[in-house]
Amino acid sequence: MDLVRLSLVNQLALRLSSDGRARQSYLAQDRSSGRIFTLPRALALALRRVQAAERGDAEARKRVGREELRDVSGLLGQIRAARGQDRLTRRRFNPVFASFPLIDLGPLQPRMQPLARALVGPGFLVFMAALLGAALFLGIRSDWAIFSAYRNMFSLEAIATFGLVAPVLKIFHEAGHALTATRYGVRLRKGGLYLIGLYPMPYVDCTEADVSARRRHRIAISLAGILVDVTVGLIAFVLWYLVAGSYWQVLIGHVFVFSTLNSVLFNANPLTRLDGYYVMTDLLRRRNLATRASATLADLRLWAMTTGLAGNRPREPRHWGLVAYSVGSFLYRLKILYVIGFALLPRYLGLGIVVMAWGAVAMFVAPLMQDEIPRVHLDDAARRRRRWMRAGLAGGLVVALGFVPLPYHLRLDVAADVEGHYQLTTQSAGFLQALAPGGPIGGGTRLAALENPALRDRAEVLDANLAGARAAYESVRGDHPAKAAMAARQVMSLSDQVAVSAREIAGLTLTAPGDGVFVPSRLDRAGAFLPSGTALGAFLPVAGGAVLSGPFPERYVDKFQQGPVAAELRIAGEYLTLDPSAAALRTIIGVDRASGTRIYQLTIPADLTPASLAGRPGALRLTFAAEPLVCHIKFLIQGLAARFREAQMADRSGI
């Protein structure tokens, strides 16, 4: 039959996916735009015959039927429509998610080939193993001191370092993808910049791997960026110890934190559409998993909103799996945004709002704009039902905010109330001679021994003075009444001083009042001088009820004064219900220098022996009276504002 010339056919590259015979898929790539289309087997065979006929194969021209020609023409129409959509999209600048191709990397690949062969292979893994060994040696030797860098991960300096260093580190990350793709013969397309919420990040287009690389090579290309991040983190780990005590150590510590967190939380995580996601989809042989999951969830949401008039409910387990993946991905991104945002908001209110807004754009808006989920055209009945459903949900939300009460919960870290009940302190000042080791102690056992030569010398002087005063009293007692009265008063005064001196000397030795557990404090070496009242440790008796204590936040004081309604203690994997009415607050004199707030200590008795609390901190969960959800939101905002003021006060005190 005569074949109408289809010039677009020769601009398509048709390939069979290398995922194995069990899951063969046919892919057609538009060489002009780089788009990849998944085809049914029949359409792929028809396209192959039409391509052969276009190249002048007479036998193929005879085998092309009208139905095949019609199907191929439909495919070409879709490709033309996609090209037109791309042209329209490029004309609009989208500040939320925009890409700017800067260079064609394909012609540079022959020059990259020697470097790719040198770096991509077992040698690089050996280098990583050596770095890992050095990091383990330095970490163990220093008791992992580098992890102190995580404590300042939300400081202004760390945030500024992230903003400046992230694009630079991303260049190394993308270079790993590019070199690995070059090593396995995958043609690179463009390289350039992504603008995600106006923040620039480099990228390399390796989409040719989807149609030209084997599955294991695609996995290697996806893993390359993660391995580069890990390598940069290990190099920063080692350098952190080599430049100790300088500004470079702080900078390198921030690089280490960013590289490790970026790999664990984002790049290697399959719930975010980055390298770990593509590794997972290749391992599972499930292309376009995120797009299909989003489409399935959107279909389910539409089905629920129209009560079955539109959309579809998942009917097979794999469809429910797609819904679970989409929901899990959304919740994970929401959790990350919550953790980062609420770590920044109390310290940098304006910056925290900006970071949360940018994170919301990068995590939620940009992926939606990448997905190509077709819009569903609804009839009038479905639209009306969806409007009523949305109105009902909005009304239900308003009712829930205003009328649904929920209790307040507060979690506190508690331990034995050492300072109030079980603290063991020196009764007299002296030089430490001996301190009992921690552990079970019997009654009457010596816990601590001090020595104070000044006290003993004073006691000898007082004894001699008392003996002299008594002799003087005896000599004048019968002859001179006035002198005898004065001598008697002298004897009484010296006797009182001798008794006080004896108690002070006795206070140099502390013994256990009964059976219990002794937990010594960390004191200086033997011979250190300890003033009176110095804490030596805690003595926890084996009998009687225990009293626990822990720091209590000032913002919950009003809630506590209204009375907690429940108290639950979790300790050593067990849960105990405590009497909330027995809880008490005590105010510590002074304020917290870090936050400028008053210090409160909560105490609560528990049906435990004090000795059982040795080395076993617990978690106390207090429940306060329920209030509507809107009150919870107000309380949360007030707490953020209070923490922001506390951070400001801490910064001012530091200055």
Side-chain angles (χ1 to χ4, degrees), residues 215-259:
R215 184 164 64 98
R216 59 188 180 91
H217 291 166
R218 290 199 304 269
I219 293 175
I221 293 170
S222 298
L223 282 175
I226 300 174
L227 294 179
V228 168
D229 288 341
V230 173
T231 302
V232 170
L234 290 174
I235 292 174
F237 191 106
V238 174
L239 290 178
W240 191 84
Y241 291 93
L242 300 180
V243 295
S246 66
Y247 168 77
W248 288 105
Q249 187 181 40
V250 178
L251 178 62
I252 292 172
H254 294 328
V255 171
F256 166 74
V257 170
F258 171 73
S259 295

Short mmCIF file of all heavy atoms in Angstrom, two decimals, residues 215-259:
data_model
loop_
_atom_site.label_atom_id
_atom_site.label_comp_id
_atom_site.label_asym_id
_atom_site.label_seq_id
_atom_site.Cartn_x
_atom_site.Cartn_y
_atom_site.Cartn_z
N ARG A 215 20.17 -2.02 33.32
CA ARG A 215 19.61 -1.66 34.62
C ARG A 215 20.70 -1.46 35.67
O ARG A 215 20.65 -0.51 36.46
CB ARG A 215 18.64 -2.76 35.08
CG ARG A 215 17.92 -2.44 36.38
CD ARG A 215 16.72 -3.36 36.57
NE ARG A 215 17.13 -4.74 36.71
CZ ARG A 215 17.27 -5.37 37.87
NH1 ARG A 215 17.02 -4.72 39.00
NH2 ARG A 215 17.65 -6.62 37.93
N ARG A 216 21.69 -2.33 35.71
CA ARG A 216 22.75 -2.18 36.72
C ARG A 216 23.58 -0.92 36.47
O ARG A 216 24.09 -0.31 37.41
CB ARG A 216 23.64 -3.41 36.76
CG ARG A 216 24.34 -3.76 35.47
CD ARG A 216 25.03 -5.11 35.59
NE ARG A 216 25.72 -5.51 34.37
CZ ARG A 216 26.98 -5.23 34.12
NH1 ARG A 216 27.70 -4.53 34.99
NH2 ARG A 216 27.54 -5.64 32.99
N HIS A 217 23.71 -0.53 35.19
CA HIS A 217 24.43 0.71 34.91
C HIS A 217 23.60 1.92 35.33
O HIS A 217 24.15 2.91 35.81
CB HIS A 217 24.76 0.78 33.42
CG HIS A 217 25.79 -0.22 33.00
ND1 HIS A 217 26.04 -0.53 31.68
CD2 HIS A 217 26.63 -1.01 33.74
CE1 HIS A 217 27.00 -1.43 31.62
NE2 HIS A 217 27.36 -1.74 32.85
N ARG A 218 22.28 1.85 35.15
CA ARG A 218 21.43 2.96 35.62
C ARG A 218 21.51 3.09 37.13
O ARG A 218 21.55 4.20 37.67
CB ARG A 218 19.98 2.73 35.19
CG ARG A 218 19.74 2.87 33.70
CD ARG A 218 18.26 3.08 33.42
NE ARG A 218 17.43 2.03 33.98
CZ ARG A 218 17.08 0.93 33.33
NH1 ARG A 218 17.53 0.73 32.08
NH2 ARG A 218 16.30 0.02 33.88
N ILE A 219 21.54 1.95 37.82
CA ILE A 219 21.67 1.99 39.29
C ILE A 219 23.00 2.61 39.69
O ILE A 219 23.08 3.43 40.62
CB ILE A 219 21.51 0.57 39.87
CG1 ILE A 219 20.08 0.07 39.65
CG2 ILE A 219 21.86 0.56 41.35
CD1 ILE A 219 19.87 -1.37 40.07
N ALA A 220 24.07 2.25 38.98
CA ALA A 220 25.39 2.83 39.28
C ALA A 220 25.39 4.33 39.04
O ALA A 220 25.98 5.10 39.83
CB ALA A 220 26.45 2.15 38.42
N ILE A 221 24.74 4.78 37.96
CA ILE A 221 24.69 6.22 37.68
C ILE A 221 23.93 6.95 38.78
O ILE A 221 24.33 8.03 39.23
CB ILE A 221 24.05 6.46 36.30
CG1 ILE A 221 24.95 5.92 35.19
CG2 ILE A 221 23.79 7.95 36.08
CD1 ILE A 221 24.30 5.91 33.83
N SER A 222 22.83 6.37 39.25
CA SER A 222 22.05 7.00 40.32
C SER A 222 22.82 7.00 41.64
O SER A 222 22.77 7.96 42.40
CB SER A 222 20.71 6.28 40.50
OG SER A 222 19.93 6.35 39.32
N LEU A 223 23.55 5.91 41.92
CA LEU A 223 24.31 5.82 43.18
C LEU A 223 25.53 6.71 43.18
O LEU A 223 26.05 7.03 44.26
CB LEU A 223 24.74 4.38 43.42
CG LEU A 223 23.69 3.41 43.95
CD1 LEU A 223 24.25 2.01 44.01
CD2 LEU A 223 23.22 3.84 45.33
N ALA A 224 26.01 7.12 42.01
CA ALA A 224 27.25 7.88 41.94
C ALA A 224 27.17 9.17 42.74
O ALA A 224 28.10 9.53 43.46
CB ALA A 224 27.60 8.18 40.48
N GLY A 225 26.04 9.88 42.63
CA GLY A 225 25.90 11.13 43.38
C GLY A 225 25.93 10.90 44.88
O GLY A 225 26.55 11.67 45.64
N ILE A 226 25.26 9.83 45.34
CA ILE A 226 25.26 9.51 46.78
C ILE A 226 26.66 9.18 47.26
O ILE A 226 27.11 9.64 48.32
CB ILE A 226 24.30 8.34 47.05
CG1 ILE A 226 22.87 8.71 46.63
CG2 ILE A 226 24.32 7.95 48.52
CD1 ILE A 226 21.89 7.57 46.72
N LEU A 227 27.40 8.39 46.46
CA LEU A 227 28.76 8.03 46.85
C LEU A 227 29.67 9.25 46.90
O LEU A 227 30.55 9.35 47.77
CB LEU A 227 29.32 6.99 45.87
CG LEU A 227 28.63 5.63 45.87
CD1 LEU A 227 29.26 4.70 44.85
CD2 LEU A 227 28.69 5.00 47.26
N VAL A 228 29.47 10.19 45.99
CA VAL A 228 30.26 11.42 46.03
C VAL A 228 29.95 12.21 47.30
O VAL A 228 30.86 12.73 47.96
CB VAL A 228 30.00 12.26 44.77
CG1 VAL A 228 30.60 13.66 44.93
CG2 VAL A 228 30.61 11.59 43.54
N ASP A 229 28.66 12.31 47.66
CA ASP A 229 28.30 13.01 48.90
C ASP A 229 28.95 12.36 50.11
O ASP A 229 29.47 13.04 51.00
CB ASP A 229 26.77 13.01 49.07
CG ASP A 229 26.09 13.94 48.10
OD1 ASP A 229 26.76 14.83 47.55
OD2 ASP A 229 24.87 13.78 47.88
N VAL A 230 28.91 11.03 50.16
CA VAL A 230 29.52 10.31 51.27
C VAL A 230 31.02 10.55 51.29
O VAL A 230 31.64 10.75 52.35
CB VAL A 230 29.20 8.81 51.19
CG1 VAL A 230 29.97 8.03 52.24
CG2 VAL A 230 27.70 8.58 51.35
N THR A 231 31.65 10.54 50.11
CA THR A 231 33.10 10.78 50.03
C THR A 231 33.46 12.17 50.52
O THR A 231 34.43 12.35 51.28
CB THR A 231 33.58 10.57 48.59
OG1 THR A 231 33.25 9.26 48.16
CG2 THR A 231 35.08 10.77 48.49
N VAL A 232 32.68 13.16 50.09
CA VAL A 232 32.94 14.53 50.56
C VAL A 232 32.77 14.60 52.07
O VAL A 232 33.57 15.24 52.77
CB VAL A 232 31.98 15.51 49.85
CG1 VAL A 232 32.06 16.89 50.50
CG2 VAL A 232 32.32 15.61 48.37
N GLY A 233 31.75 13.91 52.60
CA GLY A 233 31.57 13.89 54.05
C GLY A 233 32.73 13.24 54.77
O GLY A 233 33.18 13.73 55.82
N LEU A 234 33.27 12.14 54.23
CA LEU A 234 34.40 11.47 54.86
C LEU A 234 35.66 12.33 54.80
O LEU A 234 36.45 12.37 55.76
CB LEU A 234 34.65 10.12 54.19
CG LEU A 234 33.60 9.03 54.44
CD1 LEU A 234 33.89 7.81 53.59
CD2 LEU A 234 33.54 8.66 55.91
N ILE A 235 35.87 13.01 53.66
CA ILE A 235 37.03 13.91 53.56
C ILE A 235 36.92 15.03 54.58
O ILE A 235 37.89 15.38 55.27
CB ILE A 235 37.14 14.47 52.13
CG1 ILE A 235 37.51 13.35 51.15
CG2 ILE A 235 38.18 15.58 52.06
CD1 ILE A 235 37.50 13.78 49.69
N ALA A 236 35.72 15.60 54.71
CA ALA A 236 35.51 16.65 55.72
C ALA A 236 35.71 16.10 57.13
O ALA A 236 36.25 16.79 58.01
CB ALA A 236 34.10 17.23 55.57
N PHE A 237 35.30 14.84 57.34
CA PHE A 237 35.50 14.20 58.65
C PHE A 237 36.98 14.17 59.02
O PHE A 237 37.37 14.52 60.14
CB PHE A 237 34.92 12.78 58.59
CG PHE A 237 34.81 12.09 59.91
CD1 PHE A 237 33.59 11.92 60.52
CD2 PHE A 237 35.94 11.59 60.55
CE1 PHE A 237 33.48 11.27 61.75
CE2 PHE A 237 35.85 10.95 61.77
CZ PHE A 237 34.61 10.79 62.37
N VAL A 238 37.82 13.74 58.08
CA VAL A 238 39.25 13.63 58.36
C VAL A 238 39.88 15.01 58.51
O VAL A 238 40.68 15.26 59.43
CB VAL A 238 39.94 12.83 57.24
CG1 VAL A 238 41.45 12.82 57.43
CG2 VAL A 238 39.40 11.39 57.20
N LEU A 239 39.52 15.95 57.61
CA LEU A 239 40.12 17.29 57.67
C LEU A 239 39.74 18.01 58.96
O LEU A 239 40.51 18.84 59.45
CB LEU A 239 39.67 18.11 56.46
CG LEU A 239 40.23 17.68 55.10
CD1 LEU A 239 39.67 18.57 54.00
CD2 LEU A 239 41.76 17.76 55.11
N TRP A 240 38.57 17.72 59.50
CA TRP A 240 38.12 18.39 60.73
C TRP A 240 39.12 18.18 61.86
O TRP A 240 39.32 19.07 62.69
CB TRP A 240 36.75 17.85 61.11
CG TRP A 240 36.05 18.62 62.19
CD1 TRP A 240 35.29 19.74 62.07
CD2 TRP A 240 36.05 18.30 63.59
NE1 TRP A 240 34.81 20.14 63.29
CE2 TRP A 240 35.27 19.28 64.24
CE3 TRP A 240 36.63 17.30 64.36
CZ2 TRP A 240 35.04 19.27 65.62
CZ3 TRP A 240 36.42 17.29 65.73
CH2 TRP A 240 35.63 18.26 66.34
N TYR A 241 39.73 17.02 61.90
CA TYR A 241 40.71 16.73 62.95
C TYR A 241 42.09 17.30 62.63
O TYR A 241 42.90 17.51 63.53
CB TYR A 241 40.83 15.22 63.16
CG TYR A 241 39.59 14.61 63.78
CD1 TYR A 241 38.59 14.09 62.99
CD2 TYR A 241 39.43 14.58 65.16
CE1 TYR A 241 37.44 13.53 63.55
CE2 TYR A 241 38.30 14.03 65.73
CZ TYR A 241 37.31 13.51 64.93
OH TYR A 241 36.17 12.97 65.49
N LEU A 242 42.37 17.55 61.36
CA LEU A 242 43.69 18.05 60.97
C LEU A 242 43.82 19.55 61.12
O LEU A 242 44.94 20.07 61.17
CB LEU A 242 43.99 17.66 59.52
CG LEU A 242 44.01 16.16 59.22
CD1 LEU A 242 44.33 15.92 57.75
CD2 LEU A 242 45.03 15.44 60.12
N VAL A 243 42.69 20.29 61.17
CA VAL A 243 42.73 21.75 61.26
C VAL A 243 42.11 22.21 62.58
O VAL A 243 41.47 23.25 62.65
CB VAL A 243 42.00 22.40 60.07
CG1 VAL A 243 42.71 22.09 58.77
CG2 VAL A 243 40.54 21.94 60.00
N ALA A 244 42.28 21.42 63.63
CA ALA A 244 41.65 21.72 64.91
C ALA A 244 42.07 23.10 65.42
O ALA A 244 43.20 23.53 65.25
CB ALA A 244 42.03 20.65 65.94
N GLY A 245 41.09 23.78 66.03
CA GLY A 245 41.37 25.06 66.65
C GLY A 245 41.41 26.24 65.72
O GLY A 245 41.90 27.30 66.10
N SER A 246 40.89 26.14 64.49
CA SER A 246 40.90 27.25 63.56
C SER A 246 39.50 27.46 63.00
O SER A 246 38.58 26.66 63.21
CB SER A 246 41.88 26.97 62.41
OG SER A 246 41.42 25.88 61.62
N TYR A 247 39.35 28.57 62.27
CA TYR A 247 38.06 28.85 61.64
C TYR A 247 37.71 27.78 60.63
O TYR A 247 36.53 27.45 60.44
CB TYR A 247 38.09 30.22 60.97
CG TYR A 247 36.92 30.45 60.05
CD1 TYR A 247 35.66 30.76 60.56
CD2 TYR A 247 37.05 30.32 58.66
CE1 TYR A 247 34.58 30.96 59.73
CE2 TYR A 247 35.97 30.52 57.82
CZ TYR A 247 34.75 30.85 58.36
OH TYR A 247 33.67 31.02 57.53
N TRP A 248 38.74 27.22 59.98
CA TRP A 248 38.48 26.19 58.97
C TRP A 248 37.79 24.98 59.57
O TRP A 248 37.03 24.28 58.91
CB TRP A 248 39.79 25.79 58.30
CG TRP A 248 40.33 26.85 57.39
CD1 TRP A 248 41.37 27.69 57.64
CD2 TRP A 248 39.82 27.21 56.10
NE1 TRP A 248 41.56 28.55 56.59
CE2 TRP A 248 40.61 28.27 55.62
CE3 TRP A 248 38.79 26.73 55.31
CZ2 TRP A 248 40.40 28.87 54.39
CZ3 TRP A 248 38.57 27.32 54.08
CH2 TRP A 248 39.36 28.36 53.62
N GLN A 249 38.07 24.71 60.84
CA GLN A 249 37.42 23.56 61.47
C GLN A 249 35.91 23.76 61.55
O GLN A 249 35.13 22.84 61.31
CB GLN A 249 37.99 23.33 62.88
CG GLN A 249 37.46 22.05 63.52
CD GLN A 249 37.99 21.85 64.90
OE1 GLN A 249 38.11 22.81 65.68
NE2 GLN A 249 38.31 20.61 65.26
N VAL A 250 35.48 24.99 61.86
CA VAL A 250 34.05 25.28 61.91
C VAL A 250 33.43 25.12 60.52
O VAL A 250 32.37 24.49 60.35
CB VAL A 250 33.81 26.70 62.46
CG1 VAL A 250 32.31 27.02 62.46
CG2 VAL A 250 34.39 26.82 63.86
N LEU A 251 34.09 25.67 59.50
CA LEU A 251 33.57 25.58 58.14
C LEU A 251 33.50 24.13 57.67
O LEU A 251 32.48 23.69 57.11
CB LEU A 251 34.46 26.40 57.20
CG LEU A 251 34.08 26.38 55.72
CD1 LEU A 251 32.69 26.96 55.51
CD2 LEU A 251 35.11 27.14 54.89
N ILE A 252 34.55 23.37 57.92
CA ILE A 252 34.58 21.97 57.49
C ILE A 252 33.53 21.16 58.26
O ILE A 252 32.92 20.24 57.72
CB ILE A 252 35.99 21.39 57.67
CG1 ILE A 252 36.95 22.06 56.67
CG2 ILE A 252 36.00 19.89 57.48
CD1 ILE A 252 38.39 21.71 56.89
N GLY A 253 33.32 21.52 59.53
CA GLY A 253 32.27 20.85 60.29
C GLY A 253 30.90 21.05 59.68
O GLY A 253 30.08 20.13 59.61
N HIS A 254 30.63 22.28 59.19
CA HIS A 254 29.35 22.54 58.52
C HIS A 254 29.25 21.75 57.21
O HIS A 254 28.16 21.25 56.88
CB HIS A 254 29.21 24.04 58.24
CG HIS A 254 29.09 24.87 59.48
ND1 HIS A 254 28.49 24.41 60.62
CD2 HIS A 254 29.48 26.15 59.75
CE1 HIS A 254 28.51 25.36 61.55
NE2 HIS A 254 29.11 26.42 61.04
N VAL A 255 30.36 21.64 56.48
CA VAL A 255 30.34 20.85 55.25
C VAL A 255 30.04 19.38 55.56
O VAL A 255 29.27 18.72 54.86
CB VAL A 255 31.68 20.99 54.51
CG1 VAL A 255 31.76 20.01 53.34
CG2 VAL A 255 31.87 22.42 54.02
N PHE A 256 30.64 18.86 56.62
CA PHE A 256 30.38 17.47 57.02
C PHE A 256 28.91 17.26 57.37
O PHE A 256 28.29 16.29 56.92
CB PHE A 256 31.27 17.12 58.21
CG PHE A 256 30.86 15.86 58.92
CD1 PHE A 256 31.11 14.62 58.34
CD2 PHE A 256 30.23 15.90 60.15
CE1 PHE A 256 30.72 13.45 58.97
CE2 PHE A 256 29.85 14.74 60.79
CZ PHE A 256 30.09 13.51 60.21
N VAL A 257 28.35 18.18 58.14
CA VAL A 257 26.94 18.05 58.53
C VAL A 257 26.04 18.10 57.30
O VAL A 257 25.12 17.28 57.14
CB VAL A 257 26.56 19.17 59.52
CG1 VAL A 257 25.05 19.21 59.75
CG2 VAL A 257 27.28 18.96 60.84
N PHE A 258 26.31 19.04 56.39
CA PHE A 258 25.45 19.17 55.21
C PHE A 258 25.55 17.93 54.33
O PHE A 258 24.54 17.41 53.85
CB PHE A 258 25.85 20.41 54.41
CG PHE A 258 25.16 20.48 53.08
CD1 PHE A 258 23.82 20.80 52.98
CD2 PHE A 258 25.87 20.21 51.92
CE1 PHE A 258 23.20 20.85 51.75
CE2 PHE A 258 25.25 20.25 50.68
CZ PHE A 258 23.90 20.59 50.60
N SER A 259 26.78 17.43 54.09
CA SER A 259 26.95 16.28 53.21
C SER A 259 26.26 15.05 53.77
O SER A 259 25.59 14.30 53.04
CB SER A 259 28.44 16.00 52.99
OG SER A 259 29.05 17.07 52.30
#
